[in-house]
């Protein structure tokens, strides 16, 4: 089965703030590329670029745009980092009502986008 998600882009109004936000809450280092008036900070997985924080004058953050979910080891501690970095909780940690499907939550990031987190199990 091929991967269902080819690539995602998260728009940023303040590029540096958004890069800091995601590097902190996901505990990753993003590769930053700047080309004239556009900027990208890339998420990589197993050496492959799977998505990016993007800045361009006509690409605006939105609470009602595309909703992506990141895998997460610990929803509670990650949500605490979200709050510490200026984000907020939109949907609290919620058990998925199908057997063995884990938990999710949705937060608003530093730019105003709504983004989800997913964990197979709850870590105490």
């Amino acid at each position: 089965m091929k991967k269902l998600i080819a690539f995602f882009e998260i728009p940023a109004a303040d590029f540096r703030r958004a890069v800091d936000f995601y590097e902190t809450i996901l505990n990753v280092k993003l590769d930053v590329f700047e080309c004239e008036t556009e900027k990208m900070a890339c998420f990589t997985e197993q050496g492959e670029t799977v998505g990016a924080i993007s800045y361009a004058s006509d690409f605006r953050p939105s609470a009602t745009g595309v909703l992506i979910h990141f895998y997460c080891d610990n929803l509670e501690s990650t949500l605490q980092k979200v709050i510490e970095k200026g984000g907020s909780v939109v949907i609290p940690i919620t058990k998925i009502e199908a057997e063995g499907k884990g938990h999710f939550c949705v937060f608003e990031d530093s730019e105003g986008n709504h983004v989800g987190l997913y964990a197979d199990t709850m870590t105490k």
Side-chain angles (χ1 to χ4, degrees):
M1 178 177 183
K2 65 181 180 178
K3 290 177 15 177
L4 296 177
I5 298 173
F7 192 75
F8 63 86
E9 290 185 64
I10 302 171
D14 182 324
F15 183 73
R16 294 285 170 207
R17 177 180 64 199
V19 170
D20 178 57
F21 181 91
Y22 282 99
E23 285 183 335
T24 299
I25 72 158
L26 297 175
N27 193 31
V28 297
K29 179 70 177 145
L30 303 177
D31 293 323
V32 175
F33 303 93
E34 298 186 32
C35 181
E36 297 177 22
T37 60
E38 297 182 7
K39 302 173 187 175
M40 293 185 100
C42 296
F43 294 92
T44 58
E45 197 171 76
Q46 298 175 348
E48 181 183 343
T49 300
V50 295
I53 297 166
S54 298
Y55 174 84
S57 62
D58 60 346
F59 194 39
R60 302 273 183 226
S62 169
T64 58
V66 174
L67 180 62
I68 61 168
H69 286 78
F70 288 109
Y71 277 102
C72 171
D73 290 331
N74 187 310
L75 292 173
E76 291 174 352
S77 65
T78 303
L79 278 182
Q80 184 58 42
K81 291 177 188 176
V82 165
I83 292 164
E84 290 169 4
K85 283 295 182 178
S88 62
V89 178
V90 175
I91 299 173
I93 297 170
T94 303
K95 183 180 186 310
I96 298 170
E97 293 301 323
E99 185 66 31
K101 294 298 181 186
H103 294 76
F104 79 98
C105 60
V106 176
F107 64 87
E108 184 171 287
D109 73 4
S110 60
E111 306 306 296
N113 298 296
H114 286 191
V115 178
L117 296 172
Y118 171 80
D120 293 330
T121 60
M122 284 298 293
T123 305
K124 296 286 183 194

